[in-house]
């Protein structure tokens, strides 16, 4: 036998229940892998094969050669936290190192392609003439007792993993480290395939197919791309694995007592007998995107998938001139840039989608601003509380990205709604600055926000009609993850939309993203946007200037809010637990009593506004402290907002700390 093996892995943009499209993408990837000389091809998780065996539904890998199924390997460890509810759909296979023949006709797979009566089903490895291959599926790589550990000790040299791993900001570092560490301890080759694109949900699967050997990255796939099919091929020297393992004595001692896997003998080799002159691939350094690049590319690709699959004609965005809506606009502009680049590089699928969206079979997007004008409508919805500065900022940004921009005034609609209330109830509400109560002040702010939502949907449905163009528009939201966490948004306001590309991104990261766009896209309009204090502009102006700011309204800074969010979700901290962590984190800037006050205020606002999460616009998932209760954060939306026991515990601890500090001070003076 030879010593080099050429293998291929894929990132495919599969779509649930799109059987024809999924099959076409699979076949295309096989053709590319064969053309590039690969003897083995790996696809992503559930690319087309859920399998029902004995009336039980499993998430499976189907491994075949020359129209014969060699093994159906069911997933043994299911993802059931965060965004995943695999136990809702599948049952984990619980019989490790066990395999048996089952009738193929009872397995609900495509029997026309595989004319055989029985198939091996279970947990086994494949022994070819020259090496041994084992299978993992997504979550199994991340588990503490991953199958590749025991498989490697049993002599498996190539581990293959079909994944459906979604994008989260800064997650790529973790994923790459996990894959490389799988082969660093005891050697081997790890081949990872991954889903890519928006599968009709809040998640974006970001590709990043990769091949690793002996702890080093050998091949890297793209993380964000509009290509529906990407195939990564590498040639590897099997002798490198064997010599690497031979030097690890502790690994060899463990291997001598491992329980063996069932081996399925395959009359096939991944290597050739005359491959001594075939060069093997060398290790490379992984090229990571910065968080700003991830925000620029990930949500943009997600929006493109959503647009082309929803059969709409573009997007509509209420553009306020603030950071959040401007960031959303920049993401759409980034999408237009990616589309133009893909067309320039010869992607005929993208070109076909563009022509269908703009309803012009001869159109070819060349300039991103020009294409943006076709598919993106922005609208500045002014009121008597809006400043000239935000009007100018929104107008200039729209001009620079090329969106079709509308200016309108909502005062007539607001006065009509308030007038109806006053006519029925006999009382007219007033803003706080005019002597009104807090309740009146809030109601008058909310009606402006909700009118904007109604107008957004009206213009999204009819603006193209009014311009003599076909199709409707998807309404984009622009509430960031921190505002959702605090509840600093009006229920059913202009942040209520069809989808929200920034709903899982923190204000801090959005500011950095705006800076990135200003520098890389030459959008000079962003300079004044990033320097202005965030404001809702829902209260009366003071001498023509904004008197309302977000952070003053919230009673906390966005930086603090991001910290609260991470401790609440990722650290699983309640009020008392968060207080205990923050008195140490903030000991240089806050007293324990100040920390207590801040924590109480956050949890009070979080709990009274939690109900807003039930109607949160579906948003791109980008942060692991997202409060989206529709899928990711399955917590109650009705809390006891007094937090009596928790706040009492905090108060007791504050008193104790104050007494201790006073006692320490007396001792130092003595």
């Amino acid at each position: 036998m030879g010593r080099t093996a050429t293998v291929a892995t894929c990132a495919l943009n599969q779509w649930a229940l799109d059987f024809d499209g999924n099959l076409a993408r699979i076949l295309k990837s096989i053709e590319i892998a064969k053309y590039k000389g690969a003897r083995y091809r790996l696809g992503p998780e559930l690319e087309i094969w859920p399998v029902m065996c004995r009336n039980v539904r499993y998430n499976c890998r189907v491994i075949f050669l020359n129209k014969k199924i060699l093994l159906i390997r069911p997933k043994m460890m299911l993802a059931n936290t965060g965004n995943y509810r695999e136990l809702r759909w599948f049952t984990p296979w619980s019989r490790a190192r066990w395999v048996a023949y089952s009738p193929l006709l009872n397995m609900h797979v495509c029997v026309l392609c595989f004319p055989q009566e029985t198939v091996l089903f279970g947990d086994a490895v494949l022994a070819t003439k020259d090496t041994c291959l084992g299978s993992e599926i997504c979550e199994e790589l991340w588990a503490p007792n991953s199958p590749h550990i025991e498989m490697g000790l049993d002599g498996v040299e190539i581990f293959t993993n079909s994944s459906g791993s979604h994008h989260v900001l800064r997650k790529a570092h973790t994923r790459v480290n996990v894959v490389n560490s799988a082969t660093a301890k005891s050697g081997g080759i790890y081949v990872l395939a991954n889903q890519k694109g928006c599968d009709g949900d809040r998640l974006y699967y970001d590709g990043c197919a990769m091949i690793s050997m002996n702890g080093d990255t050998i091949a890297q796939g793209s993380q964000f791309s509009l290509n529906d099919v990407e195939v990564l091929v590498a040639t590897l020297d099997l002798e490198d694995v064997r010599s690497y393992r031979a030097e690890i004595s502790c690994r060899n001692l463990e291997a001598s007592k491992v329980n063996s896997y069932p081996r399925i003998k395959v009359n096939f080799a991944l290597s050739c007998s005359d491959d001594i002159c075939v060069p093997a691939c060398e290790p490379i350094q992984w090229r990571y995107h910065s968080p700003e690049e991830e925000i620029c590319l990930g949500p943009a690709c997600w929006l493109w998938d959503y647009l082309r699959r929803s059969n709409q004609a573009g997007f509509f965005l209420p553009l306020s001139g603030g950071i959040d809506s401007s960031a959303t606009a920049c993401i759409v502009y980034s999408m237009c840039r990616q589309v133009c680049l893909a067309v320039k590089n010869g992607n005929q699928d993208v070109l076909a989608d563009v022509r269908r969206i703009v309803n012009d079979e001869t159109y070819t997007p060349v300039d991103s601003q020009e294409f943006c004008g076709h598919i993106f409508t922005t609208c500045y919805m002014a009121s008597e509380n809006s400043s000239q500065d935000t009007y100018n900022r929104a107008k200039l940004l729209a001009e620079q990205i090329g969106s079709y921009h509308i200016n309108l005034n909502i005062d007539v609609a607001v006065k009509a709604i308030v007038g109806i209330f006053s006519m029925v109830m006999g009382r007219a509400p007033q803003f706080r600055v005019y002597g009104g109560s807090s309740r009146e002040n809030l109601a008058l702010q909310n009606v402006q926000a909700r009118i904007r939502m109604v107008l957004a949907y009206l213009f999204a449905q009819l603006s193209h009609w009014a311009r003599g163009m076909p199709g409707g528009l998807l309404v984009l939201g622009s509430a960031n993850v921190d505002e959702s966490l605090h509840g600093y948004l009006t229920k059913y306001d202009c942040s209520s939309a069809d989808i929200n590309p920034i709903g899982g991104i923190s204000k801090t990261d959005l500011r950095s993203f705006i800076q990135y766009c200003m520098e890389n896209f030459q959008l000079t309009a962003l300079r004044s946007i990033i320097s202005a204090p965030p404001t809702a502009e829902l209260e009366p102006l003071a001498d023509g200037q904004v008197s309302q700011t977000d952070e003053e309204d919230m009673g906390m800074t966005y930086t603090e809010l991001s910290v609260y969010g991470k401790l609440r979700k990722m650290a699983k901290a309640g009020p008392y637990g968060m207080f205990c962590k923050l008195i140490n984190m903030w000991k240089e800037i806050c007293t324990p009593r100040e920390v207590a006050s801040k924590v109480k205020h956050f949890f009070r606002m979080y709990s009274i506004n939690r109900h807003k999460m039930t109607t949160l616009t579906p948003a791109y998932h980008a942060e692991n402290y997202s409060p989206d209760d529709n899928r990711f954060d399955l917590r109650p939306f009705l809390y006891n907002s007094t937090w009596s026991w928790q706040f009492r515990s905090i108060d007791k601890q504050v008193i104790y700390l104050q007494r201790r500090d006073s006692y320490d001070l007396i001792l130092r003076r003595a």
Side-chain angles (χ1 to χ4, degrees), residues 291-292 295 507-517 530:
E292 294 78 19
I295 296 171
K507 191 80 164 189
T508 303
D509 283 334
L510 288 175
R511 292 184 67 88
S512 299
F513 168 63
I514 289 289
Q515 183 71 36
Y516 172 88
C517 292
I530 199 172

Side-chain angles (χ1 to χ4, degrees), residues 319-322 326 378-380 388-407 525 528-529:
L319 184 60
S320 69
S326 297
T378 53
C379 181
Y380 182 79
Q388 186 66 35
D389 288 340
T390 54
Y391 168 87
N392 292 336
R393 292 198 292 264
K395 183 175 182 294
L396 182 57
L397 178 60
E399 289 175 355
Q400 292 184 355
I401 66 175
S403 66
Y404 179 80
H405 191 60
I406 300 169
N407 288 301
S528 60
I529 290 171

Side-chain angles (χ1 to χ4, degrees), residues 380-384 407-413 455:
Y380 182 79
M381 301 182 184
S383 76
E384 61 185 12
N407 288 301
L408 59 86
N409 192 290
I410 68 171
D411 285 337
V412 174
L455 288 171

Side-chain angles (χ1 to χ4, degrees), residues 26 36 222:
I26 291 171
K36 292 185 175 182
S222 63

Side-chain angles (χ1 to χ4, degrees), residues 56-168:
V56 180
R57 190 188 304 112
Y58 296 101
N59 178 347
C60 293
R61 289 272 308 278
V62 179
I63 305 167
F64 59 92
L65 173 67
N66 296 330
K67 292 189 175 183
K68 179 183 178 182
I69 296 178
L70 303 175
L71 172 68
I72 297 181
R73 199 280 198 176
K75 190 172 183 179
M76 304 176 69
M77 303 173 188
L78 302 186
N80 212 56
T81 57
N83 288 292
Y84 298 107
R85 298 288 178 274
E86 281 196 80
L87 286 173
R88 176 182 294 178
W89 308 108
F90 302 109
T91 299
W93 181 256
S94 57
R95 304 186 70 174
R97 298 180 178 84
W98 186 90
V99 68
Y101 280 100
S102 293
L104 186 59
L105 288 173
N106 295 334
M107 312 233 6
H108 294 78
V109 296
C110 187
V111 294
L112 294 178
C113 296
F114 305 101
Q116 61 194 90
E117 295 182 356
T118 59
V119 64
L120 281 168
F121 189 94
D123 182 28
V125 298
L126 301 179
T128 65
K129 291 181 177 180
D130 52 354
T131 188
C132 190
L133 297 91
S135 300
E136 288 188 328
I137 305 177
C138 200
E139 179 74 5
E140 295 170 353
L141 167 64
W142 302 80
N145 56 338
S146 296
H148 70 257
I149 299 171
E150 293 285 307
M151 285 192 293
L153 294 175
D154 193 31
V156 172
E157 295 178 334
I158 301 176
F159 313 107
T160 61
N161 187 307
S162 296
S163 276
S165 180
H166 67 280
H167 172 239
V168 173

